[in-house]
Amino acid sequence: MRIPIGIIVCWICCSIHAQQYHGTLLYTWNNNNSMNIYLPQDYFSSEEYYPVLYLLHGVSDNELCWLKEVNVRLMFDELISKGEMREMIIVMPSVSGLVNGSYESSFDTIMSYVESVFRIYKNKESHAIAGISLGGFYAMHISHRCYNHFDYVGLFSAIYTTDKKSIFKKEREALFGITQTSPIIYKNTEKELEKLFQCNPKLYFISIGKHDFLYNQNVLFRNYLTENKYPFVYHETGGGHDWKNWQSYLMIFLPLLFNDLPDTI
């Protein structure tokens, strides 16, 4: 079992439960970017390459929250063992919590690091990104900045505006909340979304709870996509801005990923 030297803070080795081996969870860092990485059960015993999902947390959390709040390792293991989810590498990096464009602009360094260390397919059809709340905001902007890099995008209870005053407004102008002081990276959002959809992503998934304080934002974004005839999947539930909803959204999203990929590429 070969593990890249210098990147492992700690790792949880494969365990046996119900006579099935489970995936491996690594905690790594690179250039001050810490992240949890889930590897399929056969990763270290094979030379196979895998698709990848980047899964981003919200503003008040960190890269450990998916493990503490949802126990995603168990979720991934069970979905894979049932044949309801394709084997994949799942990267859960820390996010900056800043809305100044720095995180989105530097995300390619995270992708380059992960792709240089782990066996990940490099093609667009094998890449997905998703996030909750502010992580959804990042996922939207990273996906359209890297419009030829991601074929699957998941926005769970996402925020879309850069202007806090626009969060509860219902007017179309409140959607992206672009002002004169907005960072330049956000000022071309609509043009970059157009580029993304010209590349025909396989899945653009939006989910929101009806009692979420970001509900109006998500309805505005849904209407914007509809008006521009951009294909998307919209999933609305009860409840609000909470982990119960985010767990259910992830459970729906994961089985939709990478089903068109052949066993080997």
Side-chain angles (χ1 to χ4, degrees):
M1 186 179 295
R2 300 179 62 187
I3 303 174
I5 298 174
I7 67 164
I8 307 302
V9 177
C10 65
W11 63 292
I12 303 173
C13 65
C14 296
S15 63
I16 301 178
H17 178 68
Q19 298 183 337
Q20 293 203 19
Y21 288 93
H22 287 234
T24 300
L25 188 66
L26 304 181
Y27 187 61
T28 81
W29 82 97
N30 180 56
N31 295 330
N32 296 320
N33 291 311
S34 53
M35 63 193 82
N36 278 291
I37 298 179
Y38 174 87
L39 301 174
Q41 65 171 28
D42 296 327
Y43 183 85
F44 289 112
S45 61
S46 75
E47 297 182 357
E48 292 293 324
Y49 279 70
Y50 297 88
V52 61
L53 164 64
Y54 293 90
L55 186 58
L56 311 182
H57 63 78
V59 65
S60 61
D61 294 306
N62 58 38
E63 68 278 6
L64 299 173
C65 66
W66 286 104
L67 307 175
K68 293 178 179 179
E69 302 292 343
V70 178
N71 192 1
V72 287
R73 185 188 181 211
L74 180 60
M75 177 196 295
F76 302 152
D77 286 341
E78 289 185 348
L79 288 175
I80 290 172
S81 68
K82 293 177 181 178
E84 296 176 4
M85 164 186 162
R86 179 161 182 144
E87 286 192 327
M88 66 184 77
I89 292 173
I90 300 177
V91 180
M92 296 161 276
S94 60
V95 305
S96 68
L98 301 175
V99 185
N100 60 11
S102 60
Y103 187 76
E104 299 94 314
S105 298
S106 64
F107 197 78
D108 58 346
T109 63
I110 295 176
M111 294 188 294
S112 297
Y113 165 72
V114 170
E115 292 177 9
S116 69
V117 174
F118 301 100
R119 298 192 307 274
I120 293 173
Y121 289 126
K122 301 297 193 338
N123 57 318
K124 174 174 174 275
E125 295 83 359
S126 301
H127 295 168
I129 188 168
I132 59 174
S133 194
L134 184 64
F137 175 89
Y138 289 144
M140 180 191 72
H141 284 286
I142 292 167
S143 66
H144 67 62
R145 282 193 72 252
C146 307
Y147 59 88
N148 204 27
H149 196 87
F150 293 102
D151 235 353
Y152 300 86
V153 180
L155 310 177
F156 311 154
S157 304
I159 185 170
Y160 301 95
T161 181
T162 60
D163 179 17
K164 292 181 179 179
K165 298 178 182 178
S166 300
I167 288 177
F168 300 103
K169 295 180 180 178
K170 297 182 179 181
E171 295 80 16
R172 164 67 177 82
E173 293 74 20
L175 175 54
F176 298 119
I178 304 302
T179 66
Q180 289 184 340
T181 59
S182 297
I184 192 168
I185 189 175
Y186 303 130
K187 292 189 175 181
N188 293 318
T189 296
E190 295 191 44
K191 289 184 179 179
E192 292 189 349
L193 279 169
E194 182 180 4
K195 288 182 181 178
L196 171 69
F197 283 100
Q198 285 176 345
C199 291
N200 300 313
K202 292 184 182 297
L203 177 65
Y204 203 87
F205 181 89
I206 304 167
S207 51
I208 188 69
K210 202 161 187 177
H211 302 293
D212 195 308
F213 75 98
L214 294 175
Y215 180 75
N216 288 340
Q217 277 270 295
N218 280 264
V219 170
L220 286 173
F221 190 57
R222 178 194 67 189
N223 294 342
Y224 166 79
L225 296 176
T226 301
E227 290 166 7
N228 285 276
K229 298 181 180 179
Y230 296 148
F232 65 96
V233 173
Y234 179 79
H235 178 69
E236 186 176 301
T237 65
H241 206 73
D242 55 55
W243 281 101
K244 180 180 178 181
N245 266 349
W246 299 332
Q247 178 175 353
S248 72
Y249 302 158
L250 184 59
M251 291 276 291
I252 295 169
F253 185 66
L254 287 169
L256 303 177
L257 302 180
F258 313 126
N259 292 318
D260 294 338
L261 292 179
D263 292 335
T264 59
I265 298 178

